[in-house]
Amino acid sequence: MPRLSLLDDVRIGAQSLGASVSDALIPSLRIGVTGLSRAGKTVFLTALLHQLLHEGRLPALKAHRSGRLIEARLSPQPDDDVARFALEEHLHKLIHERAWPQSTRQISELRLTLSFEPESRLARTLGRTRLHLDLVDYPGEWLLDLPLLDMSFEAFSKDALAKAQAPERAPMAEPFLKALADRDAGAPLSEEDAAELAGLYMDYLRACKEGHRALSMLPPGRFLMPGDLEGSPALTFAPMLWESDSRPANGSLYQAMERRYEAYKRVVVKPFFLDHFARLDRQIVLVDVLSAINAGSAALHDLSDALTAILSCFKAGRNTLLSSLFSPRIDKIAFVATKADHLHHSQHDRLEDILEELVVDAHLRAKFSGAKVETLAVSSVRATREASARSGSTGLKAVAGVPIEGETINGETFDGEREVAIFPGDLPTEPGALLTQHAPANTLRFVRFRPPKRNDGSEKEERQPTLPHIRLDRLLEFLLGDKLA
Ligand code: GDP
């Protein structure tokens, strides 16, 4: 193996110092992309990067429209301890397999460097012509853990068990509640008992999330989205009540659960907020409003609570839990209703109104903290085109696409090849109506569509058009416009 001389060492050191110094002179903007699982984070970030890297159709992004956005290229990411967002893999899946990529399971990031010509002469004179865009994708479930930092194990358990007994959750929680009732909290810790209770609690949270139930408020966040803590002992606790006046004995099951809960807060929750969340400049919160609408009013209320909890993380006011840790610096937040391509464009305003209604409480809080908030309906990858259908003598505004193999509507099962037109139904004109107690479930008809064909007949990949989208450019203008001015 060749030996490096002292001089080589110095040279290498100087080179990397040179690179990092010139790199450090380029301003950076750190944007978080979050949302609960299946909200559309992976597809969104893949599509956004694809549009910027391949000069997609982005007319609402002023710098692009006026030709001032010169180049976008990938650069080495700033953090060595964070996974790289698997852009190439996801794009391959979308474009070549016409299948959706693997969803977000942990935090990842990617750096894009934009070269542009600023509008202002001063910025040109100062040579402000490049911007590092650090995009950080992370599960929204992790944000739901913030209130835990301020909650004792007793308070967490009371809240979690009251939720588990609520009518819309009780059937899923039954196995856990039964196992808990069978255990003596004061008995000496048995690892088997602890693991079984934690496993059943996790199963219950998963069951609430899955299928038609689509519930959202399901902390602790790592139980659903463990990231690199999959199978870790940090996750072997579950809520439990202590009903005696005396303190639980050392080494009891209850005491072990309490200690593990405190450790979860200390070694998992707090470091995430300090190391990652605190460094974000702007934030995108993706929301799968359509699935919650179809799950009915309980799911919508739950989603609204989750969004309020997420927004409380951005609140920079004094004397809040967060401000005791650090001061969040986020100055713009975009709430985005994803998968708008499931609806005809005439319904998109209503989708935005519903999202607005869902975040109204949250919205007020963020405004209070001085951050600008935007709500938008977007499709990161548009899998449908608009079509018309007839029902008797009535014309219906439908969407047409290729349903994924095995999807069904009205007893018809699709083969993954044939295009069909579907009338998804109309959203209500009065968004509040959906949040009333008795709003029914399954009012909309949806299937999952395959990603679109990108082939325009030309052989060369670079000549093919970028993937179609809806309003990604408006979102980019909100998030980046001022930085490229
Ligand atoms: P994540 O869990 O937030 O990372 O969610 P994903 O990005 O993996 O998206 C979950 C699923 O939503 C995907 O597998 C797609 O089925 C669907 N999806 C996401 N974005 C879109 C979109 O723009 N259009 C359509 N039609 N489906 C989408």
Side-chain angles (χ1 to χ4, degrees):
M1 194 165 135
R3 288 198 54 209
L4 296 179
S5 70
L6 185 60
L7 196 59
D8 287 330
D9 271 351
V10 172
R11 258 196 221 121
I12 291 167
Q15 269 171 12
S16 51
L17 190 67
S20 58
V21 166
S22 70
D23 226 35
L25 293 177
I26 302 175
S28 67
L29 186 70
R30 207 168 168 82
I31 299 184
V33 177
T34 198
L36 300 174
S37 78
R38 313 297 292 164
K41 298 180 288 294
T42 310
V43 176
F44 170 83
L45 194 46
T46 306
L48 193 88
L49 288 160
H50 169 72
Q51 298 296 339
L52 285 169
L53 286 165
H54 298 281
E55 298 180 30
R57 264 185 50 75
L58 301 168
L61 179 61
K62 283 189 199 139
H64 179 75
R65 191 177 62 219
S66 58
R68 292 187 295 103
L69 185 56
I70 299 161
E71 190 200 28
R73 63 178 167 77
L74 294 174
S75 300
Q77 67 187 57
D79 303 290
D80 292 333
D81 56 346
V82 177
R84 181 178 183 276
F85 181 76
L87 174 67
E88 296 75 10
E89 204 179 291
H90 297 328
L91 268 177
H92 186 272
K93 197 95 188 157
L94 270 172
I95 292 171
H96 298 287
E97 296 179 30
R98 282 188 69 200
W100 300 103
Q102 162 85 57
S103 299
T104 300
R105 303 204 59 79
Q106 60 161 330
I107 187 164
S108 65
E109 74 174 356
L110 205 62
R111 171 170 275 190
L112 197 65
T113 304
L114 303 177
S115 304
F116 63 100
E117 198 175 312
E119 263 175 332
S120 89
R121 189 179 302 169
L122 178 65
R124 276 202 298 271
T125 314
L126 292 173
R128 280 202 204 120
T129 56
R130 277 189 291 170
L131 176 70
H132 285 320
L133 209 56
D134 293 324
L135 296 152
V136 185
D137 172 27
Y138 66 93
E141 281 80 359
W142 296 3
L143 293 180
L144 299 182
D145 278 346
L146 180 73
L148 302 189
L149 287 180
D150 215 14
M151 249 190 218
S152 65
F153 180 61
E154 187 185 351
F156 158 73
S157 295
K158 278 192 179 144
D159 184 56
L161 293 174
K163 278 204 176 84
Q165 283 152 3
E168 69 274 13
R169 293 178 179 224
M172 284 86 76
E174 200 187 324
F176 165 69
L177 292 173
K178 201 169 164 312
L180 188 65
D182 287 347
R183 297 292 181 289
D184 174 2
L189 163 71
S190 130
E191 275 305 337
E192 254 172 45
D193 281 354
E196 192 197 345
L197 286 173
L200 288 170
Y201 191 65
M202 238 176 244
D203 291 347
Y204 142 67
L205 296 180
R206 280 201 195 107
C208 289
K209 174 80 201 172
E210 276 160 14
H212 59 279
R213 295 185 192 94
L215 293 173
S216 308
M217 273 304 272
L218 303 165
R222 301 286 172 135
F223 278 40
L224 283 178
M225 279 288 143
D228 54 4
L229 291 178
E230 188 107 46
S232 151
L235 306 187
T236 44
F237 68 90
M240 179 171 262
L241 296 181
W242 181 252
E243 272 151 352
S244 148
D245 287 339
S246 58
R247 282 292 304 153
N250 279 346
S252 61
L253 179 61
Y254 182 89
Q255 203 206 34
M257 292 296 194
E258 184 174 34
R259 215 183 44 240
R260 288 173 192 188
Y261 168 80
E262 292 300 334
Y264 175 79
K265 284 160 53 177
R266 199 176 53 248
V267 301
V268 178
V269 182
K270 216 167 182 178
F272 166 71
F273 279 94
L274 291 177
D275 299 343
H276 301 293
F277 186 77
R279 293 165 58 211
L280 297 174
D281 300 307
R282 292 184 176 174
Q283 178 66 55
I284 302 164
V285 182
L286 303 180
V287 189
D288 186 356
V289 181
L290 296 175
S291 294
I293 292 177
N294 247 14
S297 53
L300 279 164
H301 277 286
D302 208 56
L303 177 60
S304 180
D305 287 350
L307 292 175
T308 305
I310 286 177
L311 250 287
S312 66
C313 300
F314 303 110
K315 188 177 172 186
R318 259 184 254 151
N319 300 327
T320 62
L321 176 59
L322 265 195
S323 62
S324 65
L325 288 175
F326 61 87
S327 152
R329 57 186 194 190
I330 289 169
D331 64 348
K332 285 191 176 190
I333 305 168
F335 276 102
V336 177
T338 49
K339 314 179 197 181
D341 57 330
H342 281 100
L343 298 173
H344 191 271
H345 78 268
S346 56
Q347 299 285 310
H348 290 174
D349 285 351
R350 292 189 191 175
L351 183 59
E352 282 176 8
D353 289 348
I354 294 167
L355 178 63
E356 186 111 1
E357 179 78 23
L358 285 172
V359 297
V360 83
D361 195 20
H363 201 131
L364 288 174
R365 292 169 185 235
K367 262 191 190 150
F368 173 65
S369 78
K372 269 195 189 160
V373 176
E374 175 80 307
T375 40
L376 268 180
V378 153
S379 173
S380 315
V381 173
R382 182 178 184 170
T384 64
R385 58 186 180 83
E386 309 227 308
S388 50
R390 295 211 76 75
S391 168
S393 58
T394 322
L396 299 173
K397 289 174 171 161
V399 291
V402 179
I404 289 177
E405 187 181 353
E407 290 286 291
T408 56
I409 277 195
N410 295 341
E412 185 182 357
T413 304
F414 301 105
D415 64 2
E417 297 299 331
R418 189 168 59 91
E419 189 187 66
V420 293
I422 290 170
F423 171 62
D426 286 331
L427 294 175
T429 42
E430 183 45 63
L434 286 169
L435 286 160
T436 59
Q437 203 58 39
H438 302 296
N442 298 318
T443 46
L444 300 169
R445 269 177 301 279
F446 290 126
V447 285
R448 287 180 308 142
F449 293 103
R450 287 184 71 186
K453 264 204 187 108
R454 200 181 61 144
N455 199 333
D456 64 347
S458 66
E459 286 296 300
K460 286 210 172 126
E461 181 156 314
E462 61 265 29
R463 300 179 79 204
Q464 289 184 343
T466 47
L467 289 162
H469 66 86
I470 300 173
R471 279 190 283 278
L472 274 185
D473 48 342
R474 262 185 51 196
L475 180 59
L476 279 170
E477 178 60 27
F478 172 71
L479 289 166
L480 296 183
D482 57 333
K483 299 288 176 185
L484 302 178

